[in-house]
Amino acid sequence: MFFCPPYTVEPCGLFTWGHMILLLTTAILIAVGLYVSRHMNAREVRRTVRLVTAILWGLELFKIIFVLAVTGSRNPNDYIPLYYCSLVLYAGLFSSVGRGVVQRIGDVFLSSGSIVGGICFLLCPNTSLPRYPAFHFISFHSFLLHGLMVYLGLLLLLRGVCRLSMSDLKHCAGLVSAMCLVAWIFNTVWDRLFPHMAVANLMFMSKDFPGTPVTVLYRLTGALFPLFMWLIQAFVPFLAVYGVYKIFIYVSEKKVRNNQI
């Protein structure tokens, strides 16, 4: 059952007991991980990012093999890692082995977009639990991936390895925008070359994803849907995290000032 094809065993579904158990377990593991990491210095944080990135790439490759060999799917949406949450794979590499601007791009995405993407998926795992049981490789993979996304982002912020500023918006938006463009071009070319095969919808840049919040946006925006998907993915997650981050910094500094009086 752990490696069964989709829908061959009753799926877990969303907001079920199985979902709640996976969500609670992931939240506990994130909290434990942050507690254990509370005294890490910058070098140890970098080492952790490298290790986690290597693990995530290994799991992603195994997932691709599973999709191609077990499910038999040739739908690019199922095995090409080019969605918002897939960007943690590339940002992790930038942060781990990059230097200068490249490393900064990785750090900023991990510390902003990665947190938002991870939390959103954990609350609404539309691509795994509606198709597989809770006790399944894909379900475990998805919760581990998105849990580690949240962990890495919070680790970089809490240990001060990445201190966000408004100017970092260009780093996060630049990475996401580049991936949106690549995804949109791939979707367009794929659909023209293979009109009778599954419609490509990487980064959700081209079509609706029924049963998710994407549907609401798709119906509201019509032909402008790709533009709005790009704007939301490129800018909203960073701005959301940056706002909370600035509030946290303000409260912390105010507490320190009050203690000095």
Side-chain angles (χ1 to χ4, degrees):
M1 186 178 80
F2 193 72
F3 291 105
C4 67
Y7 305 114
T8 55
V9 175
E10 183 178 358
C12 174
L14 301 180
F15 313 118
T16 61
W17 280 110
H19 179 192
M20 293 301 106
I21 291 172
L22 287 172
L23 178 61
L24 179 61
T25 302
T26 303
I28 292 173
L29 290 176
I30 292 171
V32 170
L34 291 173
Y35 179 79
V36 172
S37 310
R38 68 192 185 281
H39 298 307
M40 279 188 180
N41 57 36
R43 180 176 297 181
E44 291 169 332
V45 170
R46 290 288 177 205
R47 192 180 304 135
T48 300
V49 174
R50 292 190 194 100
L51 175 61
V52 171
T53 300
I55 291 172
L56 292 180
W57 270 106
L59 288 171
E60 189 65 28
L61 292 174
F62 193 85
K63 174 191 171 184
I64 294 171
I65 294 171
F66 169 84
V67 170
L68 295 176
V70 177
T71 72
S73 173
R74 295 301 180 265
N75 184 339
N77 302 321
D78 291 337
Y79 61 86
I80 296 180
L82 193 52
Y83 291 97
Y84 190 87
C85 292
S86 304
L87 300 190
V88 68
L89 299 170
Y90 312 107
L93 289 177
F94 294 167
S95 178
S96 299
V97 300
R99 294 292 183 270
V101 174
V102 173
Q103 186 176 71
R104 185 64 183 176
I105 291 172
D107 288 350
V108 169
F109 181 83
L110 291 178
S111 301
S112 55
S114 182
I115 296 174
V116 174
I119 291 174
C120 288
F121 182 91
L122 292 172
L123 295 176
C124 193
N126 286 291
T127 58
S128 59
L129 297 190
R131 305 172 67 191
Y132 297 95
F135 186 74
H136 191 278
F137 165 69
I138 294 296
S139 300
F140 278 31
H141 169 271
S142 62
F143 274 80
L144 180 60
L145 168 70
H146 294 88
L148 287 172
M149 287 174 65
V150 177
Y151 166 73
L152 286 181
L154 292 176
L155 177 65
L156 288 169
L157 290 176
L158 294 175
R159 299 309 306 146
V161 174
C162 183
R163 300 180 185 274
L164 295 176
S165 68
M166 193 60 195
S167 63
D168 285 319
L169 177 61
K170 64 180 180 293
H171 294 124
C172 186
L175 174 62
V176 177
S177 297
M179 293 303 186
C180 283
L181 179 60
V182 170
W184 181 79
I185 293 174
F186 178 92
N187 295 342
T188 303
V189 172
W190 174 275
D191 293 344
R192 290 181 179 176
L193 292 177
F194 308 105
H196 302 298
M197 297 184 68
V199 175
N201 196 23
L202 300 177
M203 291 290 291
F204 304 120
M205 282 297 295
S206 303
K207 304 293 181 183
D208 185 17
F209 186 28
T212 71
V214 174
T215 296
V216 178
L217 182 67
Y218 186 77
R219 292 174 178 173
L220 289 175
T221 57
L224 295 177
F225 173 73
L227 174 63
F228 278 88
M229 275 303 292
W230 162 63
L231 290 172
I232 290 173
Q233 294 185 96
F235 295 98
V236 173
F238 175 85
L239 293 173
V241 172
Y242 181 71
V244 174
Y245 175 76
K246 291 298 289 184
I247 293 173
F248 177 80
I249 294 297
Y250 173 78
V251 172
S252 299
E253 291 177 348
K254 185 176 180 180
K255 185 180 296 185
V256 171
R257 289 194 300 268
N258 290 339
N259 291 336
Q260 291 175 344
I261 296 176

